[in-house]
Amino acid sequence: MFKTYLNEFMLTLTKEKLDVETALKFVVLPTTGGTSIFVGTTRNNFQNRNVVTLFYEAYEPMAKSEMLKISLEAQKKFNVARICIMHRLGEVPIAESSIIIACSSEHRSNAINAVEFLINELKSKVPIWKKEIYAEGDFTWKENPEVFWKC
């Protein structure tokens, strides 16, 4: 499990269940009036196929570095006080969280815009891969359409 706690960032890759309350406790400060949170969960279907679970893998050294880079960029661009990015690895059953991103700022629009920026940047730059496992027993490794290395 990887966890980085800097004053402004909590960045985590873990095989454990993710907890929204942990993210909120980290980002909310007495000086912040806006908090935004995104929670991505495993759904039971994709393009008329029954999904039974997801499985995530990461190239952790690069994933850690890229998570820090995008957090620094979001902090500078949106003037957010704190950022939490938690991504689950390994199996993520139906209805469980695979990612939580939370940001706090003085005003709501900064936090909302930072969360949207972070999820898009994470999907395009952080080397985390998702395998969808279907009810029929087969699976597909999914490619995010946002990835910058896409051929």
Side-chain angles (χ1 to χ4, degrees), residues 119-132:
I119 188 62
N120 290 336
E121 290 296 293
L122 185 133
K123 286 179 149 284
S124 72
K125 295 181 178 172
V126 180
I128 298 174
W129 301 279
K130 173 175 72 173
K131 179 168 63 171
E132 279 184 346

PDB file of all heavy atoms in Angstrom, residues 119-132:
ATOM      1  N   ILE A 119      -9.696  14.022 -11.988  1.00  0.00           N
ATOM      2  CA  ILE A 119     -10.145  12.727 -12.503  1.00  0.00           C
ATOM      3  C   ILE A 119      -9.767  12.595 -13.979  1.00  0.00           C
ATOM      4  O   ILE A 119      -9.313  11.531 -14.418  1.00  0.00           O
ATOM      5  CB  ILE A 119     -11.659  12.460 -12.280  1.00  0.00           C
ATOM      6  CG1 ILE A 119     -12.023  11.018 -12.659  1.00  0.00           C
ATOM      7  CG2 ILE A 119     -12.546  13.438 -13.006  1.00  0.00           C
ATOM      8  CD1 ILE A 119     -11.343   9.935 -11.873  1.00  0.00           C
ATOM      9  N   ASN A 120      -9.890  13.672 -14.733  1.00  0.00           N
ATOM     10  CA  ASN A 120      -9.517  13.610 -16.147  1.00  0.00           C
ATOM     11  C   ASN A 120      -8.013  13.413 -16.325  1.00  0.00           C
ATOM     12  O   ASN A 120      -7.585  12.623 -17.171  1.00  0.00           O
ATOM     13  CB  ASN A 120      -9.994  14.857 -16.886  1.00  0.00           C
ATOM     14  CG  ASN A 120     -11.505  14.891 -17.023  1.00  0.00           C
ATOM     15  OD1 ASN A 120     -12.164  13.855 -16.984  1.00  0.00           O
ATOM     16  ND2 ASN A 120     -12.057  16.076 -17.143  1.00  0.00           N
ATOM     17  N   GLU A 121      -7.217  14.107 -15.551  1.00  0.00           N
ATOM     18  CA  GLU A 121      -5.765  13.955 -15.629  1.00  0.00           C
ATOM     19  C   GLU A 121      -5.330  12.572 -15.154  1.00  0.00           C
ATOM     20  O   GLU A 121      -4.437  11.966 -15.745  1.00  0.00           O
ATOM     21  CB  GLU A 121      -5.065  15.044 -14.803  1.00  0.00           C
ATOM     22  CG  GLU A 121      -5.176  16.422 -15.399  1.00  0.00           C
ATOM     23  CD  GLU A 121      -4.475  16.539 -16.743  1.00  0.00           C
ATOM     24  OE1 GLU A 121      -3.236  16.439 -16.769  1.00  0.00           O
ATOM     25  OE2 GLU A 121      -5.167  16.737 -17.764  1.00  0.00           O
ATOM     26  N   LEU A 122      -5.948  12.083 -14.096  1.00  0.00           N
ATOM     27  CA  LEU A 122      -5.614  10.749 -13.595  1.00  0.00           C
ATOM     28  C   LEU A 122      -5.874   9.710 -14.677  1.00  0.00           C
ATOM     29  O   LEU A 122      -5.018   8.869 -14.952  1.00  0.00           O
ATOM     30  CB  LEU A 122      -6.407  10.429 -12.330  1.00  0.00           C
ATOM     31  CG  LEU A 122      -6.031   9.103 -11.687  1.00  0.00           C
ATOM     32  CD1 LEU A 122      -5.828   9.267 -10.202  1.00  0.00           C
ATOM     33  CD2 LEU A 122      -7.064   8.042 -11.972  1.00  0.00           C
ATOM     34  N   LYS A 123      -7.023   9.782 -15.311  1.00  0.00           N
ATOM     35  CA  LYS A 123      -7.366   8.802 -16.349  1.00  0.00           C
ATOM     36  C   LYS A 123      -6.441   8.895 -17.557  1.00  0.00           C
ATOM     37  O   LYS A 123      -6.201   7.908 -18.233  1.00  0.00           O
ATOM     38  CB  LYS A 123      -8.825   8.958 -16.779  1.00  0.00           C
ATOM     39  CG  LYS A 123      -9.801   8.445 -15.746  1.00  0.00           C
ATOM     40  CD  LYS A 123     -11.229   8.645 -16.220  1.00  0.00           C
ATOM     41  CE  LYS A 123     -12.141   7.589 -15.698  1.00  0.00           C
ATOM     42  NZ  LYS A 123     -12.042   6.318 -16.341  1.00  0.00           N
ATOM     43  N   SER A 124      -5.911  10.087 -17.828  1.00  0.00           N
ATOM     44  CA  SER A 124      -5.062  10.234 -19.008  1.00  0.00           C
ATOM     45  C   SER A 124      -3.578  10.025 -18.731  1.00  0.00           C
ATOM     46  O   SER A 124      -2.836   9.688 -19.649  1.00  0.00           O
ATOM     47  CB  SER A 124      -5.279  11.599 -19.663  1.00  0.00           C
ATOM     48  OG  SER A 124      -4.727  12.625 -18.886  1.00  0.00           O
ATOM     49  N   LYS A 125      -3.120  10.181 -17.488  1.00  0.00           N
ATOM     50  CA  LYS A 125      -1.683  10.176 -17.238  1.00  0.00           C
ATOM     51  C   LYS A 125      -1.174   9.152 -16.227  1.00  0.00           C
ATOM     52  O   LYS A 125       0.012   8.819 -16.242  1.00  0.00           O
ATOM     53  CB  LYS A 125      -1.246  11.567 -16.762  1.00  0.00           C
ATOM     54  CG  LYS A 125      -1.415  12.620 -17.824  1.00  0.00           C
ATOM     55  CD  LYS A 125      -0.955  13.962 -17.341  1.00  0.00           C
ATOM     56  CE  LYS A 125      -1.113  14.986 -18.473  1.00  0.00           C
ATOM     57  NZ  LYS A 125      -0.857  16.347 -18.007  1.00  0.00           N
ATOM     58  N   VAL A 126      -2.010   8.695 -15.343  1.00  0.00           N
ATOM     59  CA  VAL A 126      -1.540   7.804 -14.282  1.00  0.00           C
ATOM     60  C   VAL A 126      -1.658   6.349 -14.748  1.00  0.00           C
ATOM     61  O   VAL A 126      -2.730   5.920 -15.168  1.00  0.00           O
ATOM     62  CB  VAL A 126      -2.320   8.045 -12.971  1.00  0.00           C
ATOM     63  CG1 VAL A 126      -1.840   7.112 -11.874  1.00  0.00           C
ATOM     64  CG2 VAL A 126      -2.166   9.504 -12.528  1.00  0.00           C
ATOM     65  N   PRO A 127      -0.558   5.589 -14.676  1.00  0.00           N
ATOM     66  CA  PRO A 127      -0.566   4.210 -15.189  1.00  0.00           C
ATOM     67  C   PRO A 127      -1.282   3.229 -14.251  1.00  0.00           C
ATOM     68  O   PRO A 127      -0.671   2.494 -13.484  1.00  0.00           O
ATOM     69  CB  PRO A 127       0.920   3.885 -15.337  1.00  0.00           C
ATOM     70  CG  PRO A 127       1.582   4.723 -14.299  1.00  0.00           C
ATOM     71  CD  PRO A 127       0.779   5.981 -14.212  1.00  0.00           C
ATOM     72  N   ILE A 128      -2.604   3.274 -14.344  1.00  0.00           N
ATOM     73  CA  ILE A 128      -3.477   2.345 -13.613  1.00  0.00           C
ATOM     74  C   ILE A 128      -4.378   1.714 -14.665  1.00  0.00           C
ATOM     75  O   ILE A 128      -4.988   2.418 -15.474  1.00  0.00           O
ATOM     76  CB  ILE A 128      -4.318   3.067 -12.540  1.00  0.00           C
ATOM     77  CG1 ILE A 128      -3.405   3.703 -11.488  1.00  0.00           C
ATOM     78  CG2 ILE A 128      -5.301   2.084 -11.883  1.00  0.00           C
ATOM     79  CD1 ILE A 128      -4.125   4.567 -10.474  1.00  0.00           C
ATOM     80  N   TRP A 129      -4.437   0.371 -14.651  1.00  0.00           N
ATOM     81  CA  TRP A 129      -5.206  -0.355 -15.661  1.00  0.00           C
ATOM     82  C   TRP A 129      -6.346  -1.115 -15.018  1.00  0.00           C
ATOM     83  O   TRP A 129      -6.229  -1.642 -13.918  1.00  0.00           O
ATOM     84  CB  TRP A 129      -4.290  -1.307 -16.423  1.00  0.00           C
ATOM     85  CG  TRP A 129      -3.190  -0.565 -17.090  1.00  0.00           C
ATOM     86  CD1 TRP A 129      -3.251   0.105 -18.285  1.00  0.00           C
ATOM     87  CD2 TRP A 129      -1.855  -0.380 -16.604  1.00  0.00           C
ATOM     88  NE1 TRP A 129      -2.035   0.681 -18.568  1.00  0.00           N
ATOM     89  CE2 TRP A 129      -1.163   0.402 -17.558  1.00  0.00           C
ATOM     90  CE3 TRP A 129      -1.168  -0.794 -15.457  1.00  0.00           C
ATOM     91  CZ2 TRP A 129       0.162   0.779 -17.401  1.00  0.00           C
ATOM     92  CZ3 TRP A 129       0.155  -0.416 -15.290  1.00  0.00           C
ATOM     93  CH2 TRP A 129       0.807   0.354 -16.258  1.00  0.00           C
ATOM     94  N   LYS A 130      -7.456  -1.202 -15.768  1.00  0.00           N
ATOM     95  CA  LYS A 130      -8.679  -1.833 -15.267  1.00  0.00           C
ATOM     96  C   LYS A 130      -9.042  -3.029 -16.129  1.00  0.00           C
ATOM     97  O   LYS A 130      -9.097  -2.933 -17.352  1.00  0.00           O
ATOM     98  CB  LYS A 130      -9.807  -0.801 -15.287  1.00  0.00           C
ATOM     99  CG  LYS A 130     -11.180  -1.359 -14.961  1.00  0.00           C
ATOM    100  CD  LYS A 130     -12.222  -0.269 -14.880  1.00  0.00           C
ATOM    101  CE  LYS A 130     -12.584   0.303 -16.219  1.00  0.00           C
ATOM    102  NZ  LYS A 130     -13.708   1.248 -16.168  1.00  0.00           N
ATOM    103  N   LYS A 131      -9.323  -4.141 -15.465  1.00  0.00           N
ATOM    104  CA  LYS A 131      -9.819  -5.340 -16.143  1.00  0.00           C
ATOM    105  C   LYS A 131     -11.268  -5.551 -15.709  1.00  0.00           C
ATOM    106  O   LYS A 131     -11.555  -5.637 -14.518  1.00  0.00           O
ATOM    107  CB  LYS A 131      -8.961  -6.548 -15.763  1.00  0.00           C
ATOM    108  CG  LYS A 131      -9.434  -7.845 -16.404  1.00  0.00           C
ATOM    109  CD  LYS A 131      -8.435  -8.990 -16.277  1.00  0.00           C
ATOM    110  CE  LYS A 131      -8.139  -9.414 -14.905  1.00  0.00           C
ATOM    111  NZ  LYS A 131      -7.332 -10.651 -14.827  1.00  0.00           N
ATOM    112  N   GLU A 132     -12.187  -5.618 -16.705  1.00  0.00           N
ATOM    113  CA  GLU A 132     -13.590  -5.933 -16.432  1.00  0.00           C
ATOM    114  C   GLU A 132     -13.777  -7.433 -16.578  1.00  0.00           C
ATOM    115  O   GLU A 132     -13.424  -8.001 -17.613  1.00  0.00           O
ATOM    116  CB  GLU A 132     -14.526  -5.238 -17.430  1.00  0.00           C
ATOM    117  CG  GLU A 132     -14.810  -3.824 -17.095  1.00  0.00           C
ATOM    118  CD  GLU A 132     -15.824  -3.196 -18.045  1.00  0.00           C
ATOM    119  OE1 GLU A 132     -16.125  -3.767 -19.120  1.00  0.00           O
ATOM    120  OE2 GLU A 132     -16.311  -2.124 -17.696  1.00  0.00           O
TER     121      GLU A 132
END
